[in-house]
Amino acid sequence: MVIRGSRHQPDKLPRVMILATGGTIAGSAESATQAGYTPGRVSIETMIDAVPGMTALARIHGDQVANVGSQDMTFAIMIDLANRINTLLGSSEADGVVVTHGTDTMEETAHFLNLTVKSKKPVVMTGAMRPATAVSADGPLNLYNAVAVAADPHAAGRGALVVMNDRIHGAHSLTKTNTTSVETFISPINGLIGTVDYGRTEYFRRPFRKHTHQSEFSLKGVASLPRVDIIYACADMPPDLIDCSVDNGSKGIVIAGDGNGNMNAATIQRAARAAKKGILIVRSSRVPTGKVGRNMEIDDDRMGFVASDELNPAKARILLMLALLQTRSLDEIQQLFYDY
Ligand code: ASP
């Protein structure tokens, strides 16, 4: 069923807090047509001022959490962000939150918030592919649309969302597919949550997996996360990458496998040896779409591996890091990959 979001009476506008973390949406270049630029330069106040129509959608406040290109996003910032959002949405101060963020690692932070924010209220991330100073910068309309979604009661209970280029993506499914185009995010396995057209929302579905208020993951007392590495599989890959990761202290390894989470025989043996020592090995895929199933070409039961199901390597890593805070059981972690 398609649900169309409603407009609000001006005197009853919802309160939306914009938490800014940097990215290209806050980026600036020397000229309006220059391809190179520096992300994370423009303040949240300047970004809000660039979108005057937004004040008709919501009572808006802004806060600068960080100002980095998202290639420099850290778990310390993500944990701070999730804690702030939990405090805000747990109070009557905000009816929804928008997080501005670089697009490079947006899917990771979105997935992290999807697992650690404990609220049904909308949490909406947005960013831009073109810096604030560019001709046809995409940031202002993305921000306008993100605020419209965050202010919309119909967005509630759908987990962390990402609004980019008129599309509403779910945190579980979206992925970045183009290095420069404004049409970079797609939701390849399960499709879009909805669309937003100059602030008018339409919803097609709810997330199929557990998220936010249903999530069992907690950041109470958590200041850092266990190290989990991603190893990219390729033809004739050297198996000692597994040893290198373990020797440097990783508690888990996600294999960005070829095809259905594959790796060569030498790496399988080395990974199975690490698994025997208690290192959690998750098979994901370097292929941009499709599931990684258990016991397909690799005998996961015998090797002691976990299959990532629908999660790509970057998101599988986030889930594994949070999972390792509470369990090291292979069966329980496999179940978490089916549930989240
Ligand atoms: N490198 C930038 C970032 O992720 C790219 C972007 O925001 O589009 O911060």
Side-chain angles (χ1 to χ4, degrees), residues 85-105:
I85 294 172
N86 277 322
T87 305
L88 274 168
L89 296 184
S91 75
S92 54
E93 273 175 60
D95 299 302
V97 164
V98 169
V99 177
T100 60
H101 195 287
T103 60
D104 287 357
T105 61

Side-chain angles (χ1 to χ4, degrees), residues 23-25 37 39 68-71 101-105 128-129 176:
T24 296
I25 192 168
Y37 63 94
V68 295
S70 73
Q71 56 271 43
H101 195 287
T103 60
D104 287 357
T105 61
M129 291 301 288
K176 186 174 180 177

Side-chain angles (χ1 to χ4, degrees), residues 124-173:
V124 184
M125 297 186 69
T126 195
M129 291 301 288
R130 297 178 183 145
T133 48
V135 173
S136 296
D138 52 331
L141 184 54
N142 283 342
L143 185 55
Y144 181 89
N145 281 334
V147 168
V149 174
D152 182 3
H154 295 300
R158 295 182 198 266
L161 301 171
V162 171
V163 168
M164 288 285 293
N165 207 30
D166 303 348
R167 314 277 199 267
I168 307 172
H169 299 270
H172 181 272
S173 50

Side-chain angles (χ1 to χ4, degrees), residues 4 8 30 46 84 144 165 217 248 273 311 326 336:
R4 289 196 167 76
H8 303 274
E30 294 298 310
T46 309
R84 284 190 200 219
Y144 181 89
N165 207 30
F217 299 105
N248 279 289
R273 204 168 71 185
L311 292 181
Q326 58 189 48
L336 292 173

